[in-house]
C-alpha cells in the first residue's frame, strides 16, 4: 500500500520532493478506504464518509496543508500572485479571471473535495439498502421473486468495494495534486 501511494500518487503528481508528504497521503488513503469499506461489513453496513462531518474535516485539513505548503514554498505574496493571477493570461482579463481563481482555489476546492467523497458514499449506501430491503421483502412473500434483487445486491456490494477503493484513491491523488500545485506554481 505504501509503495502504491509512493509510485502512483506522490511520484506521479508531486515528484521527488513530495516524499515528505508520504506519511500524510498514505494515512489519508487508508483512513478513507477503511472508513468507506465499513459499508459492506455485515453488522455495520454504514460508511463513515456518508456523514458530511468526516469528508469536510478531511477536506479542510487538506485545504490548510496545501495553503501552508504554498505560502512556505513561494512566500505569501508569491503564492497569492501565482494563485490569483495565472501566467499567460492577458492583463485585461485579470479583472474576470482573478475573482474566478479566488473562488475556485480558496472556496470551492475544499467543498468539491468533500462533496465528491460524501455523495458517492451516500449514493452507494442508498443503493445497497434499496436492494437489501427489496430482497428481504420479496423473500418474505415469494422466494423466486427475491432472486433478481439478491443478484443485484451481490453485484452492487462488489461494485461498492471498488468504489470505496476508488474514492480513497481519488481523494488522495487530488490532495497530492493540490499540494504539488502549491509547491510548483504554473509557469
Amino acid at each position: 500500500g505504501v509503495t502504491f501511494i509512493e509510485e502512483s500518487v506522490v511520484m506521479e503528481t508531486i515528484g521527488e520532493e513530495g516524499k515528505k508528504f508520504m506519511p500524510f497521503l498514505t494515512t489519508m488513503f487508508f483512513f478513507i478506504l477503511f472508513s468507506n469499506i465499513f459499508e459492506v461489513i455485515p453488522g455495520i453496513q454504514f460508511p463513515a464518509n456518508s456523514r458530511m462531518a468526516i469528508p469536510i474535516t478531511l477536506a479542510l485539513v487538506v485545504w490548510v496543508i496545501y495553503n501552508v505548503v504554498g505560502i512556505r514554498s513561494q512566500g505569501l505574496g508569491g503564492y497569492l500572485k501565482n494563485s490569483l493571477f495565472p501566467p499567460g493570461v492577458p492583463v485585461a482579463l485579470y479583472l474576470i479571471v482573478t475573482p474566478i481563481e479566488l473562488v475556485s482555489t480558496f472556496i470551492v476546492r475544499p467543498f468539491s473535495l468533500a462533496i465528491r467523497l460524501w455523495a458517492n458514499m451516500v449514493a452507494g449506501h442508498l443503493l445497497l439498502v434499496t436492494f437489501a430491503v427489496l430482497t428481504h421483502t420479496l423473500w418474505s412473500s415469494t422466494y423466486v421473486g427475491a432472486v433478481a434483487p439478491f443478484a443485484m445486491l451481490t453485484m452492487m456490494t462488489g461494485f461498492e468495494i471498488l468504489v470505496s477503493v476508488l474514492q480513497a484513491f481519488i481523494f488522495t491523488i487530488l490532495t497530492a495534486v493540490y499540494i504539488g500545485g502549491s509547491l510548483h506554481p504554473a509557469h
Side-chain angles (χ1 to χ4, degrees):
V2 173
T3 305
F4 169 73
I5 297 298
E6 181 179 4
E7 292 174 0
S8 299
V9 176
V10 173
M11 297 308 287
E12 294 290 326
T13 57
I14 303 174
E16 191 66 35
E17 60 183 340
K19 286 190 177 184
K20 63 185 171 188
F21 298 102
M22 277 290 300
F24 172 68
L25 293 170
T26 305
T27 302
M28 182 76 66
F29 176 79
F30 284 108
F31 178 79
I32 293 170
L33 175 63
F34 292 137
S35 296
N36 290 347
I37 211 73
F38 280 118
E39 181 174 29
V40 297
I41 295 176
I44 300 173
Q45 296 171 323
F46 190 80
N49 287 319
S50 66
R51 302 282 239 162
M52 189 54 163
I54 294 174
I56 198 70
T57 302
L58 293 173
L60 289 174
V61 167
V62 169
W63 182 81
V64 167
I65 288 174
Y66 80 74
N67 282 310
V68 167
V69 166
I71 291 168
R72 278 192 180 166
S73 67
Q74 302 173 47
L76 179 61
Y79 180 62
L80 289 175
K81 178 182 172 262
N82 288 323
S83 296
L84 300 177
F85 302 100
V89 175
V91 177
L93 291 179
Y94 280 149
L95 193 60
I96 297 170
V97 172
T98 301
I100 293 170
E101 289 296 322
L102 174 73
V103 170
S104 69
T105 302
F106 297 108
I107 298 170
V108 172
R109 190 177 280 181
F111 289 109
S112 68
L113 198 59
I115 289 171
R116 181 181 299 111
L117 177 59
W118 171 78
N120 277 294
M121 297 321 298
V122 167
H125 179 67
L126 290 175
L127 279 171
L128 289 180
V129 167
T130 301
F131 284 111
V133 168
L134 186 59
T135 300
H136 180 267
T137 303
L138 291 175
W139 184 263
S140 301
S141 61
T142 172
Y143 298 115
V144 176
V147 172
F150 181 73
M152 280 302 294
L153 176 62
T154 305
M155 288 189 305
M156 290 305 298
T157 300
F159 182 69
E160 283 305 308
I161 292 170
L162 173 69
V163 168
S164 294
V165 174
L166 192 60
Q167 286 304 313
F169 177 72
I170 289 170
F171 197 98
T172 306
I173 201 160
L174 285 174
T175 299
V177 166
Y178 296 159
I179 291 171
S182 58
L183 273 174
H184 311 287
H187 292 18

